[in-house]
Amino acid sequence: MVQRVAIIGAGSSGLASIKCCLDEGLEPTCFEQSHDIGGLWRFTEAGRICVYRSVITNTSKEMMCFSDFPFPEDFPNYMNHSRLLEYFRMYAKHFGLLRYIRFKTTVQSIRKRPDFSTTGQWDVVTETDGTVESAVFDAVMVCSGHYAEPHLPLDSFPGIENHFRGQYLHSWEYKDSASFQGKRVLVLGVGNSGGDIAVEISRVAAQVFLSTRSGTWVISRISDHGFPVDMMLTTRFHNCLENFLPSALMRWLRLKKFNTWFDHANYGLIPQKSPNLSLTVNDELPSCILCGTVVVKPNVEEFMESSAVFEDGTVEENIDMVVFATGYTFSFPFLEESVRNNCRSKYALYKYIFPPPLEKPTLAVLGLIELTGSIMTGTELQARWATRVFKGLNQLPPASRMMAEVAKKQQHLIKQYEIYIGYMDEIASCVGVKPNVLLLFLKDPKLALEVFFGPCTPCQYRLAGPGKWVGARNTILTQWHRAVKPLRTRVINDSSNHSLVFQCLQTDCLFASLLLWIRS
């Protein structure tokens, strides 16, 4: 029986994994290379991959909290890295997690023991202050995430190394805009980081060019009536519409919705590939484009000494700096080669967690998911399932069935993002915690209305089943109060906020009825 679990990394997924191990009566030991918790979200000036100084979360607090530990009501809906790190510290203190973490410890190797086929055990070798230790663990949870190594595709941009005389860097090296004062800057990539960096640099640079290969839909954090956009859109009701209505109609509705704020074709941003999947959250980018401080360009064909030639034949001269906002890759050099090969891609893992070929399911890789919602909450649910598999409370299918599902996923690699509710419900079903909405309507109609029409918050997966939390119901019923609380810093006697939410729900229902009538 699994007892001792090694956890690699003390970021958000590592902390959740420690908590889940304790919930299942397991004995976790977390190895963290740095001196503190927080992972990517702990900002430092240099030396490690982390967020940049001005970063703001692109998912709201109600949608990204740990499922049994909501954010304080006075925390802003979207927050900077220091506020999020403060929340991690509160979570770790509340559940007593720090005692299980060994800081300044590097994992050198993780190898299957000779009797792995019967025991499922691992030899884990670590180094702390020059002292090397080896220990045996019954299971391993890899929580180092998919931001391990910067992806710098220099080969895809001829001339950048041999001819270009300016400076180039990857976005992980970017901390703030100070060194870009008065420069002509080209940002490659229009994802969340690329958009944020282009906007921030444009305040001090002479000119910013934003190059995109295929375009993106840009949405604001602020939705109708000022509520967080993910709270309004990530609902079970909307998910039902997605599943029920014809895909062509849904694509048309999305296009109309995305273009309500501004016409993406006029701004040079309309996606040319996978138009329903590419999404960037940015409140200021359209304004910067409108004001000319950011100019959108197509993909770069080649670099000259001081210029960039684009695929449409246009040339921008006197480029001083190039920022590669081209994402990250993951690698697990500490895993033995045979195991590492089974984790070469997130698509090679069963439900993005378990390597199917292993004789024993005692290795879980967490966080290698890209969702249309919060990765943090998805990773916590992964950890809840993994620990129950380790404990023997949940069983995985036969290896042949898992590999067949993996092969099916690999045939659809163009699908970059998993739909948030679909994936969360899929893993929740494996754990036994997916909410039964129909049963809720019979037993608790008030709660059922919030669960179905309101935001699909992580607390929904604590209403029933293993890990049920007594505070889940009240947390769901008060979620709109916590969303509005930090905004009301000037007291006004007005009770319209909840009625606005109700009006939005009414509009949704009328809109759905109209669509169903049209379809019939």
Side-chain angles (χ1 to χ4, degrees):
M1 180 179 291
V2 170
Q3 286 296 325
R4 301 189 65 207
V5 180
I7 299 170
I8 318 303
S12 62
S13 56
L15 294 175
S17 295
I18 298 172
K19 163 73 163 47
C20 292
C21 282
L22 297 175
D23 288 345
E24 298 299 339
L26 303 175
E27 301 170 14
T29 301
C30 179
F31 301 103
E32 168 55 42
Q33 190 172 16
S34 70
H35 68 281
D36 201 357
I37 64 172
L40 185 74
W41 286 97
R42 183 165 52 81
F43 173 77
T44 57
E45 292 289 350
R48 52 186 288 273
I49 292 178
C50 68
V51 295
Y52 36 94
R53 191 188 307 277
S54 63
V55 73
I56 299 293
T57 60
N58 54 30
T59 51
S60 64
K61 65 177 182 179
E62 293 301 309
M63 302 300 293
M64 69 181 297
C65 67
F66 293 115
S67 58
D68 55 355
F69 194 75
F71 281 88
E73 63 177 17
D74 60 339
F75 271 43
N77 285 278
Y78 298 96
M79 62 200 77
N80 60 24
H81 55 81
S82 60
R83 272 295 178 90
L84 188 55
L85 184 59
E86 181 184 353
Y87 171 72
F88 290 155
R89 297 196 193 287
M90 295 166 61
Y91 179 76
K93 180 179 180 181
H94 182 80
F95 293 108
L97 307 181
L98 294 181
R99 73 186 75 170
Y100 300 97
I101 305 175
R102 291 180 55 183
F103 292 107
K104 296 183 179 180
T105 300
T106 301
V107 176
Q108 293 188 337
S109 69
I110 299 176
R111 298 182 176 276
K112 293 189 288 186
R113 287 181 60 79
D115 58 355
F116 181 84
S117 60
T118 56
T119 65
Q121 291 182 325
W122 304 84
D123 283 320
V124 178
V125 179
T126 60
E127 183 268 324
T128 308
D129 296 329
T131 302
V132 177
E133 298 180 15
S134 179
V136 176
F137 286 90
D138 301 306
V140 174
M141 303 177 80
V142 179
C143 300
S144 51
H146 62 272
Y147 294 99
E149 297 180 3
H151 176 54
L152 194 62
L154 299 180
D155 293 343
S156 299
F157 297 92
I160 187 71
E161 294 182 277
N162 301 326
H163 300 298
F164 184 61
R165 294 189 301 185
Q167 180 184 352
Y168 65 86
L169 66 153
H170 190 273
S171 58
W172 85 269
E173 301 174 78
Y174 178 83
K175 301 302 177 182
D176 55 44
S177 62
S179 60
F180 295 85
Q181 181 79 38
K183 306 288 187 181
R184 287 171 62 84
V185 184
L186 172 59
V187 179
L188 302 176
V190 73
N192 288 319
S193 295
D196 283 351
I197 292 171
V199 166
E200 184 168 63
I201 290 176
S202 72
R203 300 189 183 108
V204 300
Q207 182 64 62
V208 173
F209 302 97
L210 180 59
S211 171
T212 173
R213 177 170 299 175
S214 56
T216 187
W217 297 111
V218 179
I219 64 171
S220 172
R221 293 175 175 84
I222 307 170
S223 185
D224 301 334
H225 306 293
F227 291 104
V229 65
D230 52 358
M231 289 187 72
M232 298 301 293
L233 295 182
T234 311
T235 71
R236 293 187 177 279
F237 173 73
H238 284 144
N239 194 58
C240 283
L241 289 182
E242 290 269 359
N243 294 330
F244 184 76
L245 294 176
S247 57
L249 177 58
M250 286 308 305
R251 281 194 297 271
W252 179 80
L253 290 172
R254 277 193 292 267
L255 186 146
K256 296 292 287 184
K257 178 66 177 178
F258 292 151
N259 277 329
T260 299
W261 188 20
F262 67 95
D263 190 316
H264 284 66
N266 289 341
Y267 282 62
L269 289 171
I270 192 165
Q272 300 300 306
K273 299 176 183 177
S274 302
N276 59 328
L277 297 176
S278 181
L279 205 64
T280 297
V281 180
N282 197 298
D283 302 306
E284 301 177 65
L285 181 58
S287 177
C288 290
I289 297 172
L290 190 65
C291 296
T293 56
V294 174
V295 175
V296 177
K297 302 292 293 185
N299 192 44
V300 174
E301 187 173 90
E302 66 173 326
F303 283 94
M304 309 303 284
E305 286 188 352
S306 61
S307 61
V309 181
F310 298 90
E311 289 182 345
D312 62 355
T314 58
V315 179
E316 294 296 343
E317 304 283 354
N318 303 317
I319 300 296
D320 299 302
M321 304 181 77
V322 178
V323 180
F324 281 80
T326 46
Y328 297 82
T329 60
F330 61 87
S331 65
F332 311 116
F334 44 80
L335 292 177
E336 68 172 73
E337 186 175 359
S338 63
V339 178
R340 191 165 62 244
N341 289 338
N342 293 326
C343 304
R344 66 192 180 279
S345 163
K346 64 181 180 181
Y347 298 105
L349 303 172
Y350 179 62
K351 300 194 185 298
Y352 307 113
I353 305 172
F354 296 102
L358 286 184
E359 303 96 315
K360 296 288 184 180
T362 57
L363 172 67
V365 182
L366 307 183
L368 297 189
I369 45 173
E370 293 187 81
L371 302 174
T372 56
S374 170
I375 294 177
M376 195 168 100
T377 57
T379 302
E380 184 204 17
L381 196 52
Q382 288 181 331
R384 291 174 66 185
W385 184 33
T387 49
R388 290 183 62 79
V389 170
F390 294 162
K391 189 76 172 179
L393 299 173
N394 293 138
Q395 303 294 323
L396 295 184
S400 58
R401 182 175 155 194
M402 290 192 288
M403 295 179 75
E405 181 172 323
V406 165
K408 185 177 179 181
K409 285 278 187 183
Q410 290 176 330
Q411 292 176 358
H412 300 85
L413 295 183
I414 192 172
K415 185 177 181 181
Q416 185 180 1
Y417 296 99
E418 286 281 347
I419 301 301
Y420 177 77
I421 295 179
Y423 183 77
M424 293 290 283
D425 278 358
E426 182 180 353
I427 303 302
S429 296
C430 297
V431 183
V433 295
K434 179 183 174 182
N436 187 328
V437 181
L438 292 178
L439 187 61
L440 274 180
F441 270 110
L442 294 175
K443 290 187 173 182
D444 194 339
K446 182 179 180 181
L447 177 61
L449 285 171
E450 284 288 348
V451 168
F452 186 70
F453 290 105
C456 183
T457 53
C459 299
Q460 291 193 10
Y461 301 102
R462 292 284 183 178
L463 288 171
K468 178 181 177 180
W469 176 46
V470 67
R473 181 182 186 274
N474 184 64
T475 300
I476 293 170
L477 293 178
T478 56
Q479 56 199 4
W480 293 108
H481 166 78
R482 286 191 303 281
V484 172
K485 174 70 175 178
L487 305 177
R488 296 199 144 192
T489 54
R490 173 173 170 255
V491 178
I492 299 174
N493 294 323
D494 181 12
S495 60
S496 63
N497 284 280
H498 286 86
S499 62
L500 282 175
V501 175
F502 182 69
Q503 289 171 19
C504 291
L505 296 181
Q506 282 184 317
T507 302
D508 276 345
C509 291
L510 291 173
F511 180 62
S513 300
L514 177 61
L515 290 175
L516 293 176
W517 178 78
I518 293 173
R519 191 182 188 206
S520 61

